[in-house]
Amino acid sequence: MSSIAKSVLQSVKHGRAAWLRNSSAYSGKQRFPRLVLGIETSCDDTGAAVVDEAGCVLGEALHCQKEVHLQTGGIIPVVAQQLHRENIEQVVQEALRASGVSVAELAAVATTVKPGLALSLGVGLQYSLSLVNRHQKPFIPIHHMEAHALTIRLTHHLDFPFLVLLISGGHCLLAVAQGVSDFLLLGQSMDIAPGDMLDKVARRLSLRKHPECHSMAGGKAIEHLAQTGNQELLTFRLPMQQYRNCDFSFSGLQNLVNNAIAQKEKEEGIQEGEILSCVKDVAAAVQHAVTVHIIQRTYRAMLFCIKNSILPSKNATLVVSGGVASNQYIRKGLQNLADANDFALLCPPPRLCTDNGVMIAWNGIERLRAGLGVLHSTAGIRYEPRAPLGIDISKRVEEESIKVPKLKKIRWLAS
């Protein structure tokens, strides 16, 4: 940890100590703010953090498996499981040491139990149950997507309700957050997620062989090359144009992209695995198509929520989170959409958009304060690789058949 980071963390701890000395909250009685340890192992990152009720991140640690999975061309569940097993003890202990907090001082342990890779979820749950049973601590099972959705309330003062777009390597959905565990699901991906698609396109383009991208994850490589590409070289038919709902689909678009790449390879007389001369243009066109698809479905969600008074007609908020929310091109397109419809756009900082222990700990704090899902017995608790978020009203959205006004031609790359 750098000297600056240590200084900041020390200031936070001093501030917390002063809060403890001076607080007269909670019915006039002086009391310690509750602390939650969050543990995240839903996919390929092992994360842990200690967060208090005031939203102070007292300590955090993260072990990223990116380099290993880059070598294999994608996440292999058994490899991810083994890496979680090898690192979870060290990551949790590092977060506790950084926070200066012992397990005895924790109010609860919060852990991702759904959705995610089964083998990865199992490691986090097994470790957490051992910890809470050994120290007799309450356990808070966390829905991964709920945690992503509520992270914004750690970084910004935001009241319910608000519209949430969660876009990542494994998920893509639109929902209204009405409360800590109260969500209305408006739409979700019917097949793969945008991050997964971008990673697969990057592999098809062999971007690991590109001198500018050899150490980048697939989606990041696409974004990087697209900055200097011409998005108009290729035009892809957008998915689900005939369906007036808020669902997404990326597998068909991926097939169109793969066919276009094969055609370009034929035109240039190169074999699969070699780098196209127009690779930057392909990256720009792909990123643009993904962005417009996301924007169109989000636009319909906005119109549906306003029409049905689910969100306020003025000063409504769109929250965008998940790993793909770090893509600046997509974020700029969503900012333009929000501005045009009088929505505020809020995104967590990039480090909290990807999977991490902080968001799990904060979700634990939110649930602890609301008295929701805090377990004093862990008998029968299981992980769930697949788990919906909230109440699914996507059929109602489709029945309303809201037509989205035609979007003006977008030239974010040039602006």
Side-chain angles (χ1 to χ4, degrees), residues 32-47:
F32 291 96
R34 291 174 291 185
L35 309 170
V36 170
L37 167 67
I39 298 175
E40 156 63 20
T41 64
S42 68
C43 189
D44 60 332
D45 288 337
T46 312

Side-chain angles (χ1 to χ4, degrees), residues 63-349:
H63 179 267
C64 181
Q65 302 178 6
K66 183 184 78 169
E67 291 302 321
V68 173
H69 296 302
L70 275 175
Q71 298 295 329
T72 59
I75 298 171
I76 300 175
V78 292
V79 174
Q81 178 191 45
Q82 184 58 35
L83 291 172
H84 283 307
R85 284 174 174 165
E86 292 172 3
N87 291 284
I88 190 167
E89 174 72 22
Q90 175 187 336
V91 167
V92 170
Q93 292 305 316
E94 184 180 337
L96 288 169
R97 278 195 301 271
S99 70
V101 170
S102 68
V103 176
E105 296 174 86
L106 297 172
V109 174
T111 302
T112 306
V113 301
K114 59 184 177 183
L117 298 178
L119 296 179
S120 295
L121 289 169
V123 175
L125 180 58
Q126 182 180 30
Y127 180 90
S128 300
L129 294 185
S130 174
L131 191 67
V132 298
N133 291 332
R134 188 164 67 247
H135 294 275
Q136 294 298 294
K137 292 294 176 181
F139 181 66
I140 307 176
I142 298 296
H143 191 298
H144 186 76
M145 306 314 290
E146 179 181 303
H148 271 307
L150 298 182
T151 301
I152 198 67
R153 284 167 50 86
L154 171 66
T155 59
H156 296 74
H157 177 73
L158 179 62
D159 294 326
F160 298 109
F162 52 87
L163 179 62
V164 181
L165 169 65
L166 300 181
I167 41 177
S168 69
H171 303 280
C172 184
L173 63 84
L174 280 160
V176 177
Q178 300 187 120
V180 172
S181 65
D182 182 6
F183 290 82
L184 298 176
L185 181 64
L186 306 179
Q188 60 188 323
S189 178
M190 307 308 292
D191 36 64
I192 63 175
D196 185 22
M197 179 203 153
L198 292 172
D199 286 345
K200 288 176 177 176
V201 170
R203 286 198 293 274
R204 179 62 183 83
L205 288 168
S206 302
L207 295 189
R208 288 217 65 211
K209 296 179 181 178
H210 196 287
E212 297 177 27
C213 306
H214 67 276
S215 63
M216 293 181 182
K220 191 64 181 176
I222 293 287
E223 181 182 7
H224 173 74
L225 294 179
Q227 291 176 358
T228 51
N230 177 11
Q231 68 190 43
E232 296 182 355
L233 176 72
L234 291 169
T235 301
F236 298 108
R237 186 176 70 254
L238 295 176
M240 302 186 73
Q241 292 296 288
Q242 70 273 36
Y243 299 106
R244 291 186 180 178
N245 57 31
C246 290
D247 290 327
F248 303 84
S249 173
F250 295 94
S251 62
L253 179 57
Q254 181 192 327
N255 289 335
L256 292 177
V257 172
N258 287 344
N259 291 339
I261 293 171
Q263 179 60 35
K264 288 295 180 183
E265 288 170 341
K266 184 177 179 181
E267 291 173 6
E268 294 189 11
I270 66 172
Q271 298 295 316
E272 180 176 337
E274 298 180 71
I275 303 296
L276 286 167
S277 64
C278 61
V279 65
K280 293 184 177 182
D281 301 326
V282 175
V286 170
Q287 180 177 250
H288 183 72
V290 168
T291 301
V292 175
H293 181 45
I294 290 171
I295 286 175
Q296 286 183 339
R297 315 317 270 188
T298 305
Y299 196 175
R300 180 171 286 113
M302 289 177 167
L303 297 174
F304 174 82
C305 289
I306 297 300
K307 177 183 176 182
N308 291 278
S309 301
I310 297 173
L311 294 174
S313 57
K314 293 184 179 180
N315 302 317
T317 299
L318 169 64
V319 170
V320 183
S321 190
V324 179
S326 299
N327 181 297
Q328 293 302 303
Y329 185 85
I330 293 174
R331 189 179 292 197
K332 188 170 183 180
L334 289 165
Q335 182 68 67
N336 289 347
L337 176 67
D339 291 344
N341 290 277
D342 296 322
F343 270 66
L345 177 71
L346 294 178
C347 302

